[in-house]
Amino acid sequence: MTTHDPELQTPSPHEPIEITLARLLRIGSLIAAALIAAGIATMLLGREAVATRLITAGLLALLATPIMRVITAGLIFVRQKDWRFACFCLVVICALAAGILLGQAHA
Amino acid sequence: MLVQTLEIFLIAITAGVFGSMLGLGGGIIIVPVLTLLFGVPMRTAVAASTVSIIATSTGAAVAFLQDRLTNTRVAIWLEMGTATGALSGALIAGYLDQRFLYILFGLLLAYSGYNMFKSRKNELPEGVLPDRLSQKLQLQGSYTDRQLGKRIDYQVTGTLPGLIIMYFSGIAAGLLGIGAGIFKVPAMDQIMRIPFKASTATSNFMIGVTAASGAVVYFARGDVKPMITGPVVLGVLLGAVLGAKLMVRLKTSTIRKLFIPIIIYTAFEMIYRGLK
């Protein structure tokens, strides 16, 4: 390791978005993990009905995390007035929304 | 019940470690283990695997984002392809011959496996000139490689071909119910010439979104069984965090050597399923 850390001299232009997204994903995975762990513990105690609900809640929290990640990235680009990338996020969100509607129609 | 939960949990950790390092979901481990070893029905296993891909992606992404390995701009550009592709895949699912698709995707994989084998000794891509679109979108990136102990600056090329390939990988994901990281990594590595570690980290970041669109369908159909999916997801989450920490310390050529057998195995498996 050199004493002249290049990262300190030329900060990455994408720094803020990466820190925000990392925080969001960490919170999402911690909530999901906590709910699922609590569910498995409850299951071992023999309370199956409660366990099922806790685990399902954890899985839904996990499912929501990547969707929230795209929305958050879109909002960051809007705030940075990077309209091109905000548009890209909108395309992804629309495709996801269409997929969700289609999936429910098929079920 | 307790022993089975523990066994599933331990195997899921392994799937999470490999899935996160290689930018794949780990479904390649989860689906056969659940169906063959634990006698879980195929639909339940695929549903559990799809949800666990989100866990791999989310768990590993935190570490990769902090290490700057993930190229978020490339990820969002390419997600347009995977998301619309997955949607098209779901729409045309009923009208296409599954067998033909398996053979087609299998051959495609075999070809990228062969290319990856040829470049197996490459640590980093050299002399990459960015195309105009890449410059316009500012797709270039940089990260600190802890194994090499230096900062790597890189350029991105093949911006439009990359997006088109991602559309087809999205179709594969939508049709076959996978995260399709196995198509994403070679596209970024070979067509867009992104350093391998940044490719697997970026693929890992993207597969969460691809899998989420598939997982919604499984949830709506009631295929996600909490008692099986719960331990799988918890194990995969833990494994993914470990795998991400391990990956930044490995040599690129080591990660490639793990990737090549998996790509070749999957290629043969797909062609076999198509011919059977």
Side-chain angles (χ1 to χ4, degrees):
Chain A
M1 277 290 151
T2 52
T3 45
H4 297 282
D5 190 348
E7 214 152 324
L8 293 174
Q9 290 161 13
T10 47
S12 160
H14 320 314
E15 196 173 297
I17 187 170
E18 281 161 9
I19 300 291
T20 314
L21 296 183
R23 194 179 301 133
L24 176 83
L25 294 178
R26 187 191 285 120
I27 294 170
S29 48
L30 283 179
I31 292 174
L35 284 168
I36 296 168
I40 291 173
T42 318
M43 180 177 80
L44 299 178
L45 294 172
R47 303 281 300 276
E48 199 135 320
V50 183
T52 309
R53 260 183 234 163
L54 278 172
I55 296 176
T56 307
L59 296 176
L60 287 173
L62 184 73
L63 177 66
T65 306
I67 299 171
M68 284 302 296
R69 192 266 281 168
V70 181
I71 296 172
T72 309
L75 292 176
I76 294 173
F77 287 124
V78 167
R79 215 170 50 188
Q80 292 174 348
K81 299 202 166 38
D82 190 338
W83 305 116
R84 207 180 269 146
F85 271 80
C87 256
F88 296 166
C89 286
L90 192 64
V91 171
V92 178
I93 294 163
C94 288
L96 279 174
I100 290 170
L101 293 176
L102 191 77
Q104 280 175 338
H106 267 260
Chain B
M1 190 72 183
L2 178 62
V3 177
Q4 188 187 328
T5 305
L6 201 66
E7 280 173 342
I8 293 182
F9 185 66
L10 289 176
I11 292 164
I13 292 179
T14 318
V17 168
F18 284 99
S20 60
M21 282 199 303
L22 304 177
L24 314 170
I28 202 165
I29 301 175
I30 298 288
V31 174
V33 163
L34 286 181
T35 50
L36 300 176
L37 292 184
F38 295 100
V40 171
M42 192 66 188
R43 274 174 73 154
T44 312
V46 171
S49 160
T50 307
V51 180
S52 78
I53 291 168
I54 307 176
T56 313
S57 172
T58 311
V62 176
F64 289 150
L65 281 167
Q66 283 166 345
D67 271 306
R68 307 280 193 280
L69 269 174
T70 314
N71 190 326
T72 44
R73 290 175 85 85
V74 167
I76 287 158
W77 166 252
L78 295 179
E79 267 165 14
M80 283 198 293
T82 56
T84 51
L87 186 63
S88 325
L91 284 170
I92 57 174
Y95 307 101
L96 278 175
D97 186 3
Q98 270 314 81
R99 294 176 52 169
F100 167 73
L101 285 169
Y102 272 114
I103 295 173
L104 184 74
F105 286 125
L107 290 174
L108 213 69
L109 273 185
Y111 178 67
S112 36
Y114 167 71
N115 276 333
M116 203 170 275
F117 182 75
K118 275 200 307 192
S119 58
R120 67 193 176 281
K121 295 205 177 77
N122 292 5
E123 194 64 29
L124 291 167
E126 277 163 28
V128 178
L129 291 174
D131 56 53
R132 274 174 65 187
L133 193 55
S134 164
Q135 284 173 316
K136 212 171 176 179
L137 300 175
Q138 295 175 36
L139 296 183
Q140 77 283 359
S142 66
Y143 64 94
T144 307
D145 193 312
R146 295 211 196 163
Q147 204 279 324
L148 298 171
K150 63 175 179 185
R151 182 179 157 117
I152 311 291
D153 290 293
Y154 61 90
Q155 293 294 339
V156 176
T157 185
T159 310
L160 201 59
L163 181 68
I164 294 166
I165 293 176
M166 288 299 154
Y167 176 76
F168 286 99
S169 99
I171 290 185
L175 285 174
L176 312 172
I178 51 176
I182 203 143
F183 293 103
K184 295 182 172 106
V185 176
M188 281 187 256
D189 172 59
Q190 288 159 26
I191 311 285
M192 304 180 76
R193 308 287 314 275
I194 298 172
F196 198 64
K197 280 189 178 182
S199 296
T200 61
T202 305
S203 162
N204 175 79
F205 187 68
M206 291 168 57
I207 56 173
V209 174
T210 316
S213 58
V216 172
V217 181
Y218 293 117
F219 262 107
R221 276 196 207 138
D223 288 339
V224 180
K225 301 278 183 264
M227 292 305 175
I228 290 164
T229 315
V232 171
V233 163
L234 201 59
V236 164
L237 262 176
L238 195 66
V241 174
L242 291 174
K245 297 226 149 91
L246 187 64
M247 188 272 238
V248 291
R249 289 177 177 79
L250 287 178
K251 274 174 77 171
T252 291
S253 48
T254 312
I255 305 169
R256 265 189 211 275
K257 274 178 204 145
L258 290 169
F259 197 96
I260 293 167
I262 293 185
I263 202 170
I264 292 169
Y265 168 79
T266 313
F268 278 114
E269 166 80 23
M270 281 193 167
I271 295 169
Y272 175 73
R273 266 203 234 180
L275 293 176
K276 197 169 61 172

